[in-house]
């Protein structure tokens, strides 16, 4: 069954070009040309990946991302003409899984989509779980419980926590985390890892280093 993608892009010539290229690759594509229409489609139908332009009429892509994250963990890729670090971080803070800066080569966009789809593919058999102290991860249901309470994590936060637990007692460098969580072909800066570690720490109980310790100048580790 082809993967379903939602493309929200107000520049119709760009939207049509991207739509045709995605269809040529075998994807089923739905297109919206403004933010409110895009949000309505994203919440009414099931998609495998959302491609959101940041600068949209009606509702911008970052606000759409925030609203979707209150009810869904569907992978989101932002399309942005703004290359400043803070603009990219703002998108990731809103819950986006990745971003690509305009103008982009269609081959790069396709590679980013493939990377996202690989990350969300089921990786382990049903019923398998991971444990760290009082954290339990249900890897089939993509659910995390701490002290019996369910955590509300984005897909990227989940993947980051899973990586750290799988490598417990071993330090994960920022570069290793980028490669494992965002993919081999990512060009995201390593400071994005720090942003997501901060997100995880605010959602885990206790003080900031209760579960995830910083190894200064290297990376992060979860130690028993």
């Amino acid at each position: 069954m082809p993967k379903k993608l939602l493309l929200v892009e107000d520049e119709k010539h760009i939207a049509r070009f991207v739509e045709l290229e995605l269809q040529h690759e075998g994807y089923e594509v739905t297109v919206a040309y403004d933010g409110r229409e895009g949000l309505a489609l994203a919440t009414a139908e099931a998609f495998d990946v959302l491609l959101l332009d940041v600068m949209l009429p009606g509702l911008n892509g970052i606000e759409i991302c925030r609203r979707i994250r209150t009810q869904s963990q569907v992978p989101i890729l932002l399309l942005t003409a703004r290359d400043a670090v803070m603009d990219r971080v703002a998108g990731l803070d809103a819950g986006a899984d990745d971003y690509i800066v305009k103008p982009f080569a269609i081959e790069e966009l396709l590679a980013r989509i493939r990377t996202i789809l690989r990350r969300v593919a089921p990786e382990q058999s049903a019923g398998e779980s991971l444990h760290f102290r009082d954290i339990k991860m249900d890897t089939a249901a993509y659910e995390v419980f701490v002290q019996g309470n369910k955590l509300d994590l984005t897909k990227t936060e989940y993947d980051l926590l899973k990586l750290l637990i799988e490598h417990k007692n071993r330090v994960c460098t920022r570069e290793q985390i980028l490669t494992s969580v965002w993919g081999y072909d990512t060009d995201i800066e390593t400071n994005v890892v720090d942003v997501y570690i901060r997100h995880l720490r605010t959602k885990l109980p206790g003080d900031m280093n209760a579960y995830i310790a910083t190894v200064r100048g290297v990376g992060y580790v979860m130690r028993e």
Side-chain angles (χ1 to χ4, degrees):
M1 181 179 295
K3 297 296 185 181
K4 293 182 63 178
L5 276 57
L6 173 63
L7 171 63
V8 188
E9 168 62 69
D10 64 316
E11 296 186 53
K12 293 190 176 182
H13 65 288
I14 294 178
R16 182 58 176 161
F17 170 72
V18 173
E19 178 187 15
L20 290 173
E21 291 291 336
L22 293 174
Q23 290 174 338
H24 180 71
E25 292 296 316
Y27 296 112
E28 182 180 327
V29 185
T30 300
V31 181
Y33 300 105
D34 68 74
R36 296 194 182 280
E37 179 190 6
L39 178 62
L41 285 168
T43 54
E45 301 181 32
F47 293 97
D48 295 292
V49 181
L50 307 184
L51 308 175
L52 305 179
D53 185 28
V54 171
M55 304 301 291
L56 289 167
L59 206 63
N60 68 52
I62 291 177
E63 182 59 27
I64 296 173
C65 189
R66 288 196 187 98
R67 297 190 188 190
I68 289 171
R69 281 292 173 256
T70 66
Q71 56 187 286
S72 172
Q73 298 306 315
V74 61
I76 296 174
L77 173 62
L78 291 179
L79 315 176
T80 176
R82 305 172 70 173
D83 194 25
V85 171
M86 290 311 299
D87 291 325
R88 300 197 301 270
V89 170
L92 296 169
D93 276 342
D97 295 273
D98 200 356
Y99 62 85
I100 187 168
V101 177
K102 296 179 179 180
F104 51 79
I106 193 65
E107 292 81 7
E108 182 183 4
L109 177 63
L110 294 171
R112 298 294 184 95
I113 293 170
R114 289 194 297 269
T115 297
I116 286 177
L117 290 172
R118 284 197 300 268
R119 284 164 43 199
V120 301
E123 298 175 355
Q124 296 179 307
S125 61
E128 189 170 349
S129 61
L130 297 173
H131 297 268
F132 176 82
R133 298 186 194 166
D134 52 6
I135 299 176
K136 179 181 178 181
M137 303 190 76
D138 184 332
T139 57
Y142 271 88
E143 293 181 334
V144 181
F145 297 87
V146 182
Q147 300 173 3
N149 299 312
K150 184 178 177 180
L151 291 188
D152 181 19
L153 302 180
T154 68
K155 177 65 173 61
T156 302
E157 290 165 354
Y158 177 94
D159 289 341
L160 175 55
L161 181 62
K162 180 172 178 284
L163 175 71
L164 292 171
I165 291 178
E166 287 176 334
H167 293 77
K168 60 187 177 184
N169 301 317
R170 289 179 286 167
V171 177
C172 292
T173 66
R174 289 175 176 82
E175 291 77 13
Q176 179 185 356
I177 292 170
L178 277 179
T179 297
S180 299
V181 175
W182 277 270
Y184 287 93
D185 50 4
T186 187
D187 59 359
I188 296 175
E189 289 90 346
T190 55
N191 63 351
V192 169
V193 173
D194 303 323
V195 171
Y196 274 86
I197 290 291
R198 186 172 71 247
H199 289 177
L200 271 180
R201 283 172 166 165
T202 61
K203 294 182 178 182
L204 292 167
D207 64 64
M208 65 177 295
N209 290 314
Y211 293 91
I212 305 172
T214 301
V215 181
R216 194 171 299 278
V218 181
Y220 300 94
V221 61
M222 298 180 76
R223 292 194 175 98
E224 295 280 15

